[in-house]
Amino acid sequence: MTFLQISILLSLFPFSSFAFGQNSLIYRAKSSKVNEITVSGGFVFKKSELKVGKTAAQTVRSTLDVERHMIGAGFAMGVGKRIDAYGFGAYHLKSELEGIASEDSGFVLGAGLKLLAVRFSEAGIYSYLDLNYTNETYDSDLKATYVEAHVGAMARLRVLGQVNFMAGLEFIPFFSGKGNFGGVEEKLENRRSMSVIFGVVIPFIYVRSEATFLGGNSFTAVADYKVSE
């Protein structure tokens, strides 16, 4: 272990989306040297929105607010001169459906690649692609599973000394989900397919914060460890 980086990511989503935010365990606007490995661990809170089909809406509301409290971990490794492979997972410590007295268990798994697309003396543009799988059991009558792909691009610019500013866009081009609501199986829909990301990185005090718009409410606190170079 060569350094400890404490990263606090604050994500604010004023509108509703399905599942932006879980890949915030990974520092997506940073590339690694070949074979350099960084592992991360932290806590994730997020609030998002489920939209269910018409048949299930007779059992539960057609739109459900879901609050999730998760503990997660991730890793990133340089596999090429400008390419990192990464993976992450999170376990649901507690999740609640608004208006329904239930608490759930569940997990999220994801893996992807990030690329340093363009490098300047004081800036860089990064792109990434990851695939996410989520399995949630709210109670014996309410279950959901879904798979989605996230594609994004982030720019990082040094603005004041070692302080960096980040801005980016993220899209969900693919989403496939289903839920079981009181014995009725229904297709789940992704309400929003785009998010806008802003962030600030302060390397000398090891703080990274992000705000993402066009999604649910999310807060993530992460510790990153570089374990090899």
Side-chain angles (χ1 to χ4, degrees):
M1 183 183 304
T2 59
F3 73 92
L4 167 65
Q5 180 185 56
I6 304 300
S7 306
I8 300 176
L9 301 90
L10 179 62
S11 302
L12 304 171
F13 305 79
F15 303 106
S16 61
S17 86
F18 198 78
F20 289 110
Q22 60 261 26
N23 55 8
S24 61
L25 288 165
I26 303 299
Y27 188 0
R28 290 157 292 170
K30 179 182 180 298
S31 61
S32 304
K33 299 176 183 177
V34 176
N35 296 326
E36 181 180 277
I37 300 174
T38 301
V39 297
S40 306
F43 172 80
V44 180
F45 167 82
K46 59 183 297 186
K47 184 176 180 179
S48 56
E49 199 169 81
L50 274 170
K51 184 178 180 181
V52 300
K54 296 180 179 179
T55 304
Q58 299 172 8
T59 306
V60 297
R61 300 201 317 268
S62 61
T63 301
L64 299 172
D65 291 326
V66 185
E67 291 188 2
R68 302 175 180 91
H69 302 252
M70 300 180 285
I71 184 168
F75 77 93
M77 180 178 70
V79 295
K81 188 175 180 180
R82 296 190 175 194
I83 301 174
D84 284 28
Y86 63 86
F88 55 89
Y91 173 75
H92 294 200
L93 298 172
K94 177 182 178 182
S95 295
E96 296 180 352
L97 286 171
E98 183 178 338
I100 299 177
S102 65
E103 296 185 1
D104 90 328
S105 63
F107 62 90
V108 179
L109 296 174
L113 294 171
K114 57 180 178 176
L115 167 70
L116 173 56
V118 181
R119 184 187 323 203
F120 304 99
S121 59
E122 301 293 332
I125 299 175
Y126 302 79
S127 58
Y128 60 91
L129 165 67
D130 54 62
L131 192 66
N132 296 243
Y133 171 78
T134 300
N135 185 303
E136 298 179 317
T137 302
Y138 308 107
D139 61 23
S140 60
D141 295 324
L142 301 172
K143 301 178 182 180
T145 59
Y146 46 94
V147 176
E148 57 196 347
H150 293 234
V151 178
M154 297 185 71
R156 188 178 66 174
L157 173 67
R158 184 177 298 176
V159 290
L160 295 171
Q162 295 298 312
V163 177
N164 291 271
F165 174 76
M166 295 185 299
L169 290 173
E170 181 171 300
F171 300 89
I172 300 180
F174 171 81
F175 179 91
S176 178
K178 63 180 180 179
N180 190 304
F181 302 90
V184 178
E185 188 170 291
E186 285 287 353
K187 181 180 179 181
L188 300 177
E189 297 180 13
N190 181 19
R191 291 293 306 277
R192 305 281 178 176
S193 60
M194 184 185 77
S195 66
V196 181
I197 305 167
F198 297 98
V200 177
V201 183
I202 309 175
F204 52 85
I205 59 173
Y206 308 118
V207 172
R208 172 168 52 101
S209 61
E210 296 181 6
T212 306
F213 301 91
L214 300 176
N217 298 315
S218 176
F219 173 82
T220 307
V222 179
D224 300 320
Y225 300 83
K226 187 191 295 183
V227 296
S228 68
E229 296 189 57

